Amino acid sequence: MRLTWEGPYASEWERLSPYAARRRMPVWDCTVGLVAGEHAALLVDAGSSLREGAELRRQAEALLGGGRVTHLALTHPHFDHVLGAAAYSGVEVFGAVGVDVVLERGRDELAADAVRHGLDRRAAGEAADLLVRPHHLVCGEWTLDLGGVQVLLANVGPGHTGHDLAVLVSGGNGSPEIVFCGDLVEESGDPQAGSDAMPTLWPYALDRLLELGGEDAVYVPGHGSVVNAEFVRAQRASLATLFGVS
């Protein structure tokens, strides 16, 4: 499978490399990533509802020329990133170790948080009731071979939440390394530290992202425009100052 840019949805996706793309979703400006190999394809995050998840899957598989999304990585357990997961039947789902417990025990809170942010109550409840727990839990690092494209799933948290997963797409043929950061990095606004954040550890999670990606990588935040290593370092310094971390 390779990404094609001639279909009806191509204009809605930003091309990051010949085999990676991302889409900024409406309303909450949440980023979803897509990585295509020769025989498998990975989606990074699932959308904020069953309807959004199904639409994302339809668009992704159109960009894949009719190929299937085979893998799904959930970067962290917030509603705008996970509530579409039930739309991905037959897909191997990955998350940071412990996120399965959060998703199982926190279904009601996920739905309530979605409603507080404006999602229809019925849609939020349905998505939470059908929420898919990850099949594979990443403790340290997990490498996926999509066929000619190597992807590293790295448990780099805690930070933004207790269960932050980054997705590193190896460069090649002149393409840069690409790091899908989840909400450990935000460009369109200040990083949000909710009740499940571990702010004193967050700067160290960003150190890990920088170690993984390096100076020349493309860093894809959970919300906002693509950034570089300098931006990530600046956000790390701001968080360290705010939370009193060296």
Side-chain angles (χ1 to χ4, degrees):
M1 292 183 283
R2 292 296 180 188
L3 294 179
T4 175
W5 300 99
E6 299 178 355
Y9 306 117
S11 63
E12 299 181 36
W13 290 74
E14 177 183 354
R15 185 173 183 171
L16 302 173
S17 79
Y19 39 81
R22 66 117 182 206
R23 185 180 175 199
R24 292 172 68 170
M25 302 303 297
V27 185
W28 298 289
D29 191 28
C30 177
T31 285
V32 173
L34 176 62
V35 186
E38 294 176 1
H39 57 68
L42 167 74
L43 203 69
V44 182
D45 285 332
S48 62
S49 67
L50 289 175
R51 180 177 180 179
E52 192 168 88
E55 176 63 18
L56 278 168
R57 185 173 191 176
R58 182 161 48 249
Q59 291 193 10
E61 293 182 347
L63 288 179
L64 294 167
R68 289 184 60 249
V69 172
T70 55
H71 299 74
L72 171 65
L74 302 177
T75 61
H76 63 286
H78 284 171
F79 84 91
D80 48 337
H81 297 259
V82 304
L83 281 186
Y88 297 89
S89 61
V91 172
E92 295 294 309
V93 183
F94 295 76
V97 67
V99 75
D100 55 329
V101 177
V102 174
L103 295 179
E104 179 65 28
R105 296 179 180 175
R107 291 172 186 263
D108 291 344
E109 177 53 32
L110 273 174
D113 191 35
V115 171
R116 284 194 295 269
H117 282 84
L119 187 64
D120 174 77
R121 185 176 300 276
R122 179 175 294 180
E126 180 184 31
D129 286 345
L130 297 174
L131 189 60
V132 174
R133 295 169 61 184
H135 307 110
H136 308 288
L137 300 173
V138 182
C139 180
E141 297 179 353
W142 192 309
T143 300
L144 297 176
D145 182 358
L146 303 182
V149 178
Q150 297 289 321
V151 175
L152 180 71
L153 308 180
N155 186 339
V156 297
H160 176 65
T161 71
H163 311 282
D164 294 306
L165 188 74
V167 179
L168 174 70
V169 184
S170 296
N173 299 320
S175 298
E177 305 278 332
I178 299 168
V179 184
F180 290 96
C181 307
D183 287 4
L184 285 167
V185 178
E186 297 191 41
E187 185 276 335
S188 55
D190 292 333
Q192 299 300 302
S195 60
D196 58 345
M198 298 190 179
T200 60
L201 298 178
W202 198 333
Y204 304 117
L206 296 184
D207 289 339
R208 180 65 178 137
L209 283 182
L210 290 165
E211 290 174 3
L212 285 170
E215 189 62 28
D216 298 323
V218 170
Y219 293 87
V220 184
H223 300 266
S225 299
V226 168
V227 300
N228 57 20
E230 182 179 0
F231 182 95
V232 177
R233 279 196 301 273
Q235 195 155 97
R236 192 260 187 223
S238 296
L239 288 168
T241 299
L242 181 62
F243 300 121
V245 179
S246 61

